[in-house]
Amino acid sequence: MRENYGNKRQPIMRILAAGLVILLICLEVCLFLVSVLRNSYRNEISADFQEHHVSTGEALDNSIDCGVEIVENAAVALGNVEYEYCDERIYSVLATYGAFQNMETLTYVPLSGCLYYEGRKYDKDYIGGSWQAFWEEMIDKSGTVVTLTPIGYDPTYRELLISVPVYYNNEFLGYMVGTQSLQNLFTEETYNYQNRMGECYLVSSLGIIISRSDDCVMIPNENIDFAESILEYSDKSEKSNREIQLLGNAFNLKKESGNVNIRTQEGDSLQISYYPLKSAEGLYFLSCYNDNLVDDKVQPLIYRSVLSCIIIIVLMITIIVYVWATAKRANITIEKLAYEDPVTKGKNINFFKEFAIGTMNVFKETPFVIYRFDIANFRYINEAYGHMRADEVLTSCIRNFDMTFGEKELCVRMNADQFLAIIENSSGVEKRLVQFRNAVNEEARSHGIKYPIRFKTGVYQIKKHDRDIDVMIDHANVARKTLNGDEKEMTAYYTERIVNDMRKVDRIESDMQRALATGEFRVYMQPKWDIYLNRVAGAEALVRWIKADGTMIYPDEFIPVFENDGFVEKLDFYMLETVCQRMEEMIEAGKKIYPVSVNQSRLLLHSPDYVTNIDRIIKKYHIPKNMIELEITETVFLDERDKMIETTNLLKECGVRLAMDDFGSGYSSLNMLKDIPFDIIKIDREFFSESVTSQHSQWILEKIIEMTSGLGMEVICEGVETKSQVLLLKTIGCRMVQGFFYSKPIPEEEFYEKYCESESYE
Ligand code: C2E
Ligand code: MG
Ligand code: MG
């Protein structure tokens, strides 16, 4: 497969690249969204946690305040002077207020040192030293005091002690003491949220853990020193140390609530929120939570988001792959339609143009030539062997070219049997072309095609400054058109001469219509001579183009051009009409007239109205029978034979004679003489001139004259220039001649003046 150096269009790659970019962007956006989501969740949970922490601290405060209120009310009740201060009253007050739910115990401790509790009075001795610490702490305290049960009492079981002084008639009698359990503090509903999120601790200002929520893993149960545990738990980085320091300061300076962040040894981030209890001085409510916990909450959400992203991405990939596959398929089809030749399955002209431009650009220093060729008489191959085999020949041309020529070279079929190739003009090019032609011929022969495959080739050598590929192809085509298929050398090169000829043709074509209208086409007559009687026996009308400036152009120059563009039909009828008109005038003037022959282009035979027009002219000018002869050249294609027979027979019915012009110049067929009703055979000048020098040719000429005379035809020898030629013709029995020896073609007026004045026509 040749690389198309010119084809830069790759829509599939563009679609794919665009798809991948979109995919990457999506991926990026997804990751970004996930991280935004994660962070916003973290922040939200963190804020939520802190908020809950404060409200939980406040709930704790409320609960303690409630206890304080009960104890205070009990103290007030006992100090009520409306009642007698006696043991019964004390029992009654204790029973009433001790029954409240959040009151663990309610005890009355009078100054005497004894103790009232649950309907009993205990002596000072009975209580022992356990209250010693209490008294020490209470000394000089005249208001409500909320404190912890003293240390040493039971370190794992500590309660909140609420003591309120009791006054009776302004006399201080003792303390009403209530206890609240701190042990089950965090099992209550209020702390659920904090418990769920992390771990809750109630810590004294000395950093000792008083109470904690269930399942605390951060600080093991046996460890009661919060500050020490946290220090151990942290990663001991500078930042963590600083944060721990901040926490310590908050404890020491009894600061409002707040929070610190510590990084753990596992690399997690630990948030500790603190809240100093307002109801119990020196007590701190702490909640700790680990980032991991947040992740646990956020993870399912993130998983769901990531899953959605993956689904979207997979969908997108599927769509991209689908679009890509469809585009690729469509591209192949489009490329096939746009660049493939359906007959040979090779490339077509569109591809060729892109390829040629691209190749010339890439290999700037390499000389290239454009070959524009067709198969001579391909119509014959088509008809004789059928379309299928003819197409095989076309395909074989492409195949063999590809096998013979290189990657930089390409041959395509344009249409019908027209080919176009770009070939590197290197030293071996001729050899390769011969190789190519031989290979095509050999393949054709192997398929039973006996007819030789000959190429009519126009060549254009590409020049450095050439840019337009269409122009280059046109040049090669112009060169090809100079060949008619009969030449030995079937290759023509685009040259200056061809350009000049083309210009000439252009000029002729642009002038012809006007020339016909202004009468620049003139009738010249060349007499036909009866050499036995030595006098004029007829004439041939020959056209001359005499321009306004007097220059004369001979028919050889313009007739082929007119035959090409169809103008010859008009000219031939013009000549015939002029000749007939003159003949009628001569008859009317009583002058002598001779049979006049008029040349007819083969093209006329294809014109549907040809016979009708001839008939019309003959009748219009009342031409006597057989006074007009129509000369038709012998070169007739095989497929025209039947048409010729039909037309010529009709022409004869119009009262004209028929002459075969230039007999012996081409490939005459004796069949033609048999089938077509010719009256006159005009032997070609070239054929005749050979007869003069060669005995062999003379003998053939003699036999032709004998044969045609035998067929009842008249023979005229054209181009007789010498006396000796006349003598020779006399001896071999040719009576009529035409040539410069007797007269050159002369203007019609001169002819009529010279030969028609003397006698009148009978
Ligand atoms: P043609 O019909 O064979 O005409 C004879 C040509 O031979 C004429 O050339 C004539 O001048 C030339 N000729 C005659 N005797 C001699 C001679 O002794 N020696 C030499 N060397 N030449 C001689 P012309 O007039 O140049 O015409 C050339 C051809 O042009 C004609 O060949 C004919 O085929 C064609 N032609 C001329 N007039 C017409 C026309 O009106 N219509 C058509 N379709 N073709 C025409
Ligand atoms: Mg002629
Ligand atoms: Mg002739």
Side-chain angles (χ1 to χ4, degrees):
M1 178 67 198
R2 279 175 176 80
E3 186 188 338
N4 189 355
Y5 300 102
N7 195 352
K8 292 191 178 65
R9 287 173 293 167
Q10 287 171 339
I12 293 180
M13 292 317 288
R14 279 211 298 270
I15 290 175
L16 208 65
L20 278 175
V21 169
I22 293 171
L23 200 73
L24 285 176
I25 292 172
C26 284
L27 213 66
E28 192 88 340
V29 170
C30 284
L31 291 175
F32 174 73
L33 285 179
V34 164
S35 94
V36 166
L37 200 72
R38 192 170 184 265
N39 285 341
S40 74
Y41 260 89
R42 269 174 184 244
N43 293 340
E44 203 175 304
I45 288 177
S46 165
D48 212 22
F49 189 79
Q50 280 175 48
E51 206 177 293
H52 266 87
H53 174 78
V54 172
S55 44
T56 311
E58 282 166 1
L60 209 57
D61 266 337
N62 277 342
S63 155
I64 295 168
D65 282 345
C66 210
V68 170
E69 207 176 313
I70 292 165
V71 180
E72 278 175 351
N73 286 344
V76 170
L78 192 61
N80 191 349
V81 287
E82 283 176 23
Y83 299 93
E84 190 192 346
Y85 178 77
C86 60
D87 283 357
E88 280 67 37
R89 175 67 184 152
I90 293 168
Y91 295 138
S92 152
V93 169
L94 287 181
T96 309
Y97 291 92
F100 281 95
Q101 207 184 359
N102 45 357
M103 207 33 31
E104 186 83 1
T105 59
L106 187 65
T107 315
Y108 176 58
V109 188
L111 284 173
S112 59
C114 66
L115 188 145
Y116 292 86
Y117 176 62
E118 283 190 346
R120 279 184 68 183
K121 182 181 177 183
Y122 299 94
D123 284 341
K124 196 176 176 184
D125 301 335
Y126 175 80
I127 303 162
S130 58
W131 281 94
Q132 194 56 43
F134 171 75
W135 285 120
E136 274 167 19
E137 215 157 285
M138 285 298 113
I139 225 135
D140 298 335
K141 297 247 165 79
S142 51
T144 306
V145 173
V146 181
T147 180
L148 287 170
T149 47
I151 302 169
Y153 191 69
D154 178 359
T156 55
Y157 183 81
R158 300 194 70 184
E159 292 178 311
L160 205 61
L161 249 172
I162 306 161
S163 70
V164 180
V166 178
Y167 293 92
Y168 194 84
N169 265 339
N170 293 328
E171 187 189 345
F172 172 57
L173 297 180
Y175 291 100
M176 188 63 78
V177 180
T179 58
Q180 265 187 325
S181 166
L182 294 175
Q183 203 57 30
N184 302 319
L185 199 65
F186 301 115
T187 54
E188 278 178 35
E189 195 68 6
T190 334
Y191 314 112
N192 265 356
Y193 179 83
Q194 295 304 102
N195 286 346
R196 230 180 24 251
M197 289 301 295
E199 302 184 357
C200 300
Y201 296 89
L202 196 66
V203 177
S204 74
S205 55
L206 295 173
I208 303 300
I209 298 168
I210 312 297
S211 179
R212 60 176 89 207
S213 51
D214 288 341
D215 308 326
C216 285
V217 287
M218 233 159 52
I219 302 171
N221 275 346
E222 61 275 9
N223 215 339
I224 59 161
D225 193 332
F226 185 83
E228 195 179 89
S229 305
I230 285 300
L231 211 56
E232 233 167 72
Y233 197 58
S234 86
D235 65 350
K236 301 191 175 52
S237 67
E238 212 173 294
K239 186 175 178 291
S240 296
N241 289 342
R242 213 172 34 245
E243 290 284 292
I244 293 171
Q245 186 70 45
L246 272 178
L247 185 65
N249 286 347
F251 273 40
N252 292 337
L253 304 172
K254 302 187 168 74
K255 280 197 171 167
E256 285 292 296
S257 59
N259 62 291
V260 292
N261 262 295
I262 294 161
R263 194 149 285 279
T264 70
Q265 282 170 17
E266 281 80 36
D268 300 333
S269 163
L270 185 72
Q271 182 177 313
I272 303 173
S273 300
Y274 55 88
Y275 176 88
L277 290 183
K278 291 176 185 69
S279 52
E281 201 180 308
L283 271 186
Y284 285 86
F285 169 56
L286 297 175
S287 321
C288 313
Y289 89 93
N290 195 316
D291 263 358
N292 280 344
L293 291 170
V294 180
D295 284 346
D296 285 351
K297 305 278 168 201
V298 177
Q299 221 72 312
L301 209 97
I302 288 180
Y303 280 148
R304 274 204 295 279
S305 309
V306 170
L307 195 73
S308 310
C309 288
I310 290 172
I311 290 171
I312 291 170
I313 287 167
V314 166
L315 268 175
M316 283 194 63
I317 291 174
T318 317
I319 291 169
I320 288 168
V321 168
Y322 176 76
V323 169
W324 176 73
T326 317
K328 197 175 175 188
R329 264 204 309 279
N331 222 35
I332 291 170
T333 318
I334 290 168
E335 226 166 71
K336 240 185 174 177
L337 289 174
Y339 292 124
E340 200 182 278
D341 169 39
V343 175
T344 60
K345 300 280 177 269
K347 298 295 178 195
N348 67 4
I349 179 126
N350 298 335
F351 185 89
F352 179 89
K353 286 182 187 174
E354 281 185 16
F355 175 89
I357 295 166
T359 308
M360 287 186 293
N361 270 339
V362 173
F363 305 101
K364 282 200 171 65
E365 297 311 314
T366 313
F368 284 103
V369 275
I370 299 278
Y371 272 62
R372 175 80 172 72
F373 61 93
D374 65 337
I375 299 173
N377 291 338
F378 186 70
R379 241 168 61 191
Y380 171 75
I381 299 175
N382 239 334
E383 278 167 21
Y385 299 99
H387 283 284
M388 298 266 277
R389 285 162 87 187
D391 282 356
E392 248 310 304
V393 173
L394 300 176
T395 312
S396 126
C397 289
I398 298 294
R399 197 174 34 244
N400 283 299
F401 184 96
D402 287 349
M403 288 194 299
T404 319
F405 291 87
E407 289 292 303
K408 287 184 226 169
E409 296 155 314
L410 176 71
C411 174
V412 300
R413 189 186 77 104
M414 297 171 74
N415 51 50
D417 62 331
Q418 305 290 323
F419 290 89
L420 188 58
I422 180 166
I423 296 177
E424 190 184 337
N425 198 10
S426 56
S427 50
V429 66
E430 284 305 326
K431 213 174 118 193
R432 284 186 294 155
L433 281 166
V434 171
Q435 219 173 307
F436 163 66
R437 286 187 206 119
N438 289 347
V440 172
N441 271 288
E442 216 161 277
E443 202 171 322
R445 269 199 300 279
S446 72
H447 285 102
I449 297 172
K450 304 263 180 345
Y451 193 83
I453 312 292
R454 299 173 71 225
F455 297 106
K456 253 166 52 188
T457 312
V459 184
Y460 176 67
Q461 162 81 56
I462 298 169
K463 309 217 170 48
K464 272 239 152 89
H465 58 265
D466 281 338
R467 288 283 168 274
D468 194 337
I469 185 71
D470 289 311
V471 172
M472 300 177 218
I473 296 170
D474 277 350
H475 285 350
N477 200 29
V478 164
R480 185 187 63 92
K481 278 186 180 164
T482 60
L483 304 163
N484 59 26
D486 297 334
E487 298 90 342
K488 254 194 199 152
E489 184 46 69
M490 295 272 275
T491 305
Y493 293 85
Y494 182 82
T495 57
E496 265 310 300
R497 194 183 58 76
I498 290 179
V499 181
N500 287 338
D501 286 353
M502 271 170 59
R503 289 202 187 114
K504 219 186 254 175
V505 167
D506 280 353
R507 266 201 307 277
I508 289 171
E509 286 188 331
S510 67
D511 282 0
M512 62 191 186
Q513 301 282 2
R514 186 193 44 76
L516 190 69
T518 55
E520 284 187 14
F521 293 110
R522 306 287 289 275
V523 179
Y524 269 53
M525 305 280 263
Q526 186 179 32
K528 292 173 186 165
W529 213 263
D530 180 336
I531 53 174
Y532 287 0
L533 298 174
N534 195 25
R535 66 178 176 95
V536 177
E540 177 175 7
L542 294 158
V543 67
R544 296 290 180 268
W545 185 348
I546 299 172
K547 296 222 161 184
D549 61 2
T551 48
M552 183 191 282
I553 310 176
Y554 286 88
D556 286 340
E557 251 183 72
F558 56 85
I559 292 289
V561 179
F562 293 172
E563 283 195 323
N564 243 345
D565 61 26
F567 185 70
V568 74
E569 190 174 339
K570 272 192 183 166
L571 180 70
D572 282 356
F573 278 115
Y574 170 79
M575 289 291 285
L576 178 69
E577 193 144 5
T578 313
V579 166
C580 290
Q581 197 180 351
R582 193 70 68 237
M583 196 175 270
E584 190 186 30
E585 282 168 17
M586 296 299 283
I587 293 170
E588 278 172 0
K591 302 272 173 70
K592 179 162 178 56
I593 56 160
Y594 298 99
V596 180
S597 62
V598 185
N599 290 287
Q600 300 286 279
S601 164
R602 274 188 303 105
L603 284 188
L604 267 67
L605 295 166
H606 295 289
S607 164
D609 303 327
Y610 179 54
V611 180
T612 326
N613 281 334
I614 296 287
D615 193 44
R616 183 179 53 78
I617 293 169
I618 298 292
K619 286 200 175 112
K620 180 179 171 190
Y621 297 104
H622 312 99
I623 302 299
K625 201 169 175 348
N626 295 342
M627 288 309 279
I628 289 290
E629 295 166 4
L630 300 178
E631 294 191 11
I632 302 160
T633 46
E634 61 152 17
T635 343
V636 171
F637 282 120
L638 285 173
D639 63 339
E640 283 181 330
R641 209 175 128 265
D642 290 345
K643 174 91 182 143
M644 279 283 282
I645 296 170
E646 189 195 330
T647 312
T648 46
N649 276 310
L650 287 172
L651 282 174
K652 295 273 308 209
E653 283 171 22
C654 302
V656 294
R657 297 217 297 166
L658 293 179
M660 182 197 260
D661 203 356
D662 301 339
F663 183 83
S665 65
Y667 303 97
S668 317
S669 152
L670 289 178
N671 269 343
M672 277 221 346
L673 288 180
K674 181 169 69 69
D675 296 334
I676 296 172
F678 284 118
D679 303 288
I680 304 151
I681 299 297
K682 295 187 80 178
I683 295 182
D684 187 63
R685 193 169 68 234
E686 300 295 322
F687 189 82
F688 164 66
S689 57
E690 264 182 46
S691 315
V692 181
T693 48
S694 141
Q695 194 59 43
H696 187 71
S697 301
Q698 190 182 320
W699 189 83
I700 294 175
L701 182 62
E702 197 177 334
K703 292 299 158 201
I704 287 173
I705 292 168
E706 216 179 289
M707 179 186 72
T708 47
S709 305
L711 285 168
M713 294 175 193
E714 196 177 290
V715 180
I716 300 179
C717 268
E718 289 184 296
V720 176
E721 291 178 341
T722 61
K723 177 90 184 149
S724 55
Q725 287 174 339
V726 177
L727 291 175
L728 171 84
L729 287 170
K730 253 188 188 164
T731 50
I732 58 173
C734 177
R735 182 176 183 160
M736 298 288 283
V737 299
Q738 187 184 334
F740 292 173
F741 180 71
Y742 290 103
S743 172
K744 285 194 168 181
I746 50 172
E748 52 165 351
E749 304 82 18
E750 197 182 325
F751 176 82
Y752 290 119
E753 213 172 277
K754 213 167 169 185
Y755 302 109
C756 306
E757 287 297 325
S758 48
E759 295 168 62
S760 65
Y761 174 72
E762 299 95 39

